[in-house]
């Protein structure tokens, strides 16, 4: 009986100590959710760091929010709250069967910004993400956003059209889309190598890192998103944009020609163009210091 009583006593002591620890321990997290539900059974992965004026970053195709690794901590240290959203189908976000078009991406971003209670943000988008952010701003009249930054933009049209002689040809666009369905791994390998403006502009490690991010996407979403980009023409929408707009573009960009940035600059009244003379598509890596400082400067204006 004494042994049983001693055992019970020790158990009660242990339970009491655990309850005291639970009551006195302060949570280490800031209480922010890493996954945000945008509709039933669909959650997006969100990186949410820092305090202060918000900067929201949208990735390119078929990347995810990991691409901004070297922007997050820089901006946090400069006193910003920085939020990176992985679009549905990409990175750690859910990848349901359904639509992967620019209305869907814009709707999802709207829900995230509402749930996080974000206001007066600077919204930045890279490559396909620039088209996403342009569409978001025009669809929702700039809700939650005060400024727009476009990096290595694929807009206002990713491919050539009547009256627009820039971007991919119909044949090249069709071949790329077909390759997403038949040899995605080879496509991503070539895509990663094409990020650098010049031979040796990116280290082998950086190229492998970009390839690994690109491969971490739903194959279905990869095809559907680039097909939606093929069909998107934002030229009629540009005149609706009245907020400050900064356009960052590498002059040696092989994937989205510098002329596309010039067309955006002409089409968006009051926008300004920042040339990255030593960069290709990977301006956020090739000229990281300039990219970060220019983004900081724009967000503070």
């Amino acid at each position: 009986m004494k042994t049983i009583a001693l055992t019970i006593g020790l158990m009660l002591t242990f339970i009491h100590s655990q309850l005291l620890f639970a009551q006195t321990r302060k949570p280490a997290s800031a209480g922010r959710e890493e996954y945000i539900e945008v509709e039933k059974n669909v959650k997006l992965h969100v990186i949410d760091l820092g305090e202060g004026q918000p900067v929201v970053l949208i990735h390119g195709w078929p990347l995810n929010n990991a691409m901004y690794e070297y922007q997050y901590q820089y901006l946090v240290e400069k006193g910003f709250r920085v939020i990176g959203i992985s679009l549905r189908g990409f990175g750690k976000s859910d990848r349901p069967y359904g639509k992967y078009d620019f209305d869907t991406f814009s709707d999802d971003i709207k829900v995230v910004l509402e749930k996080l209670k974000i206001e007066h943000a600077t919204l930045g988008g890279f490559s396909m993400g620039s088209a996403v952010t342009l569409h978001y701003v025009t669809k929702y009249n700039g809700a939650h956003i005060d400024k727009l930054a476009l990096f290595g933009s694929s807009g206002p049209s990713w491919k050539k059209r009547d009256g627009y002689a820039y971007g991919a040809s119909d044949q090249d666009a069709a071949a790329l889309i077909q390759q997403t369905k038949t040899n995605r791994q080879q496509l991503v390998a070539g895509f990663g190598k094409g990020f650098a403006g010049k031979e040796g502009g990116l280290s082998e490690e950086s190229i492998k890192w970009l390839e690994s991010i690109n491969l971490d996407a739903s194959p279905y979403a990869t095809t559907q998103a680039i097909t939606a980009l093929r069909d998107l023409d934002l030229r009629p929408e540009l005149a609706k944009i009245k907020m400050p707009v900064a356009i960052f573009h590498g002059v040696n960009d092989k994937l989205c020609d510098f002329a596309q940035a010039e067309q955006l600059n002409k089409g968006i009244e009051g926008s300004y163009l920042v040339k990255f003379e030593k960069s290709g598509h990977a301006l956020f890596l090739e000229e990281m210091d300039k990219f970060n400082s220019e983004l900081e400067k724009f967000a503070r204006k």
Side-chain angles (χ1 to χ4, degrees):
M1 294 294 292
K2 287 183 179 180
T3 303
I4 295 172
L6 180 61
T7 301
I8 292 172
L10 289 171
M11 289 175 63
L12 290 172
T13 301
F14 174 76
I15 292 169
H16 180 67
S17 68
Q18 292 301 302
L19 288 171
L20 284 175
F21 177 76
Q23 291 169 359
T24 58
R25 184 182 185 275
K26 293 181 179 179
S29 77
R32 297 179 187 172
E33 295 183 39
E34 191 177 358
Y35 293 89
I36 296 181
E37 189 172 57
V38 292
E39 63 185 51
K40 188 177 179 181
N41 298 324
V42 181
K43 291 184 177 181
L44 301 192
H45 180 255
V46 175
I47 293 172
D48 186 357
L49 305 172
E51 309 285 347
Q53 183 183 351
V55 176
V56 180
L57 299 174
I58 306 299
H59 60 85
W61 174 90
L63 294 153
N64 59 58
N65 59 8
M67 66 161 282
Y68 291 112
E69 176 176 342
Y70 300 111
Q71 282 67 57
Y72 293 133
Q73 294 193 67
Y74 175 90
L75 290 168
V76 169
E77 289 171 359
K78 296 297 182 179
F80 293 92
R81 179 180 179 182
V82 60
I83 297 159
I85 303 171
S86 280
L87 302 171
R88 65 170 65 199
F90 299 91
K92 297 178 183 177
S93 289
D94 286 345
R95 42 188 71 187
Y97 174 70
K99 293 181 179 179
Y100 288 88
D101 59 21
F102 289 79
D103 277 327
T104 302
F105 295 147
S106 295
D107 295 346
D108 288 350
I109 291 170
K110 180 77 158 39
V111 174
V112 171
L113 298 182
E114 287 174 350
K115 288 195 172 183
L116 293 181
K117 296 180 170 59
I118 298 299
E119 298 295 341
H120 307 296
T122 297
L123 177 64
F126 171 72
S127 196
M128 184 192 78
S130 69
V132 173
T133 58
L134 282 165
H135 187 68
Y136 171 85
V137 165
T138 55
K139 180 174 183 177
Y140 286 112
N141 195 29
H144 310 283
I145 303 300
D146 282 354
K147 302 169 190 173
L148 178 63
L150 308 171
F151 320 130
S153 182
S154 60
S157 173
W158 173 57
K159 75 176 195 71
K160 293 180 173 69
R161 300 180 188 278
D162 289 341
Y164 189 81
Y166 314 97
S169 66
D170 287 333
Q171 293 79 7
D172 287 344
L176 188 150
I177 291 168
Q178 179 62 20
Q179 199 172 7
T180 68
K181 295 184 282 187
T182 58
N183 200 340
R184 185 173 62 96
Q185 293 75 18
Q186 185 181 59
L187 170 65
V188 166
F191 197 53
K193 291 181 176 67
F195 264 65
K198 296 179 181 178
E199 189 74 29
L202 288 174
S203 68
E204 283 297 319
E205 291 77 13
S206 292
I207 292 171
K208 288 177 183 176
W209 174 64
L210 288 170
E211 288 177 7
S212 71
I213 299 174
N214 284 320
L215 284 170
D216 190 24
S218 155
Y220 182 78
T222 297
T223 301
Q224 295 300 307
I226 197 66
T227 302
L229 183 63
R230 177 199 65 189
D231 297 337
L232 189 70
D233 184 1
L234 291 167
R235 288 177 295 166
E237 307 297 312
L238 300 184
K240 298 177 183 178
I241 301 172
K242 302 303 180 184
M243 64 178 60
V245 177
I247 302 164
F248 296 3
H249 213 101
V251 298
N252 301 310
D253 196 326
K254 301 187 191 79
L255 301 178
C256 294
D257 195 271
F258 186 76
Q260 290 169 275
E262 294 176 319
Q263 292 302 306
L264 274 177
N265 188 209
K266 291 176 184 176
I268 303 174
E269 185 177 354
S271 64
Y272 75 92
L273 177 59
V274 182
K275 294 182 179 181
F276 286 75
E277 304 283 355
K278 301 175 184 177
S279 296
H281 204 49
L283 65 167
F284 60 99
L285 291 177
E286 292 174 281
E287 292 183 76
M288 186 192 305
D289 291 343
K290 179 177 179 178
F291 184 94
N292 291 348
S293 62
E294 288 288 346
L295 180 54
E296 177 196 357
K297 182 170 69 175
F298 178 62
R300 288 197 192 282
K301 281 185 177 181

